[in-house]
Amino acid sequence: MFLTQMHLNPARRGTRHLLASPQRLHAAVLHGFPPGSTLGGPAGRVLWRVDQAQASITLYVSSPAEPDLTHIVEQAGWPTAPQHWRTVSTAQMHDRLAAGQEWVFRLTANPVRNERVPGERGKRHGHVTVSQQEDWLGSRSETWGFSLVTAEVTGRRHVTFSRRGPDTAGSVTLSMATFDGVLQVTDPDALRRSLTSGVGRAKGYGCGLITLAPVR
């Protein structure tokens, strides 16, 4: 697996165009891989996340193959910059994961609950309060291979956008929460699957990517 980091130019109209629709940005990310690329399966899938802090906008992409993001640079980056994006292999880090280790983590997710309706298909509702979202993460972390040492919601937003496809059309509304904290590895294999395949729902819309950094 590879992790790519790319800074987006907040002054570009193309940046605002991409950020306005997670479906549009997802399509742009997928266009970074040539036809025939393996973009899903046991090895992992393409995941992405946008981190925004004041005037800084950073796109992260986790993928089984290295992407070429030239088209995003031309639309939403700095075409004359000496380096447009940075890609590193995460294989070594994943291989050395062991129970008991602690890592700083960040995750943007779509915390939801299922409402059972007799005789009908269950409906999903987004968790909208901080306490609901934090409880959602705490209740699922063990199945994803880690326990929480510390965790807090550091960002929240609602996103509504149009979804169009061969068989679908309509609007989508997502309640998204960004979590920052420290995790402890409890099941290295489960955590590796979480890192490569993502967690929760709305993985195609910028949710589910966990990134790790050493505890300092």
Side-chain angles (χ1 to χ4, degrees), residues 136-147 186-187 189-191 193-194 199:
W136 173 88
L137 179 63
S139 67
R140 287 159 175 76
S141 61
E142 288 287 351
T143 65
W144 295 334
F146 60 91
S147 61
T186 56
D187 185 335
D189 289 334
L191 181 53
R193 289 191 296 271
S194 299
V199 300

Side-chain angles (χ1 to χ4, degrees), residues 48-203:
W48 60 272
R49 186 182 79 223
V50 172
D51 288 356
Q52 299 190 48
Q54 297 179 346
S56 173
I57 305 174
T58 306
L59 170 66
Y60 290 92
V61 178
S62 175
S63 54
E66 291 192 59
D68 181 341
L69 303 181
T70 301
H71 61 297
I72 299 181
V73 173
E74 294 170 347
Q75 181 179 1
W78 284 269
T80 60
Q83 183 180 31
H84 297 136
W85 67 84
R86 178 173 175 262
T87 299
V88 297
S89 171
T90 56
Q92 187 176 19
M93 184 195 72
H94 290 180
D95 287 344
R96 73 169 187 261
L97 289 174
Q101 290 177 343
E102 293 187 355
W103 295 83
V104 174
F105 78 93
R106 173 169 288 179
L107 163 68
T108 293
N110 172 220
V112 298
R113 60 181 175 85
N114 291 322
E115 179 184 0
R116 297 183 182 277
V117 180
E120 299 181 18
R121 184 178 178 181
K123 296 182 179 179
R124 298 192 188 102
H125 299 277
H127 289 303
V128 295
T129 69
V130 170
S131 60
Q132 288 174 339
Q133 292 167 342
E134 291 178 343
D135 288 346
W136 173 88
L137 179 63
S139 67
R140 287 159 175 76
S141 61
E142 288 287 351
T143 65
W144 295 334
F146 60 91
S147 61
L148 298 173
V149 179
T150 64
E152 64 175 324
V153 174
T154 56
R156 305 168 66 224
R157 61 193 180 106
H158 295 280
V159 180
T160 300
F161 58 96
S162 298
R163 177 175 63 183
R164 300 186 183 280
D167 304 311
T168 59
S171 63
V172 176
T173 298
L174 300 177
S175 294
M176 303 169 68
T178 297
F179 302 90
D180 284 281
V182 176
L183 63 78
Q184 183 176 75
V185 182
T186 56
D187 185 335
D189 289 334
L191 181 53
R192 289 185 192 101
R193 289 191 296 271
S194 299
L195 292 170
T196 58
S197 298
V199 300
R201 299 191 178 276
K203 297 184 186 73

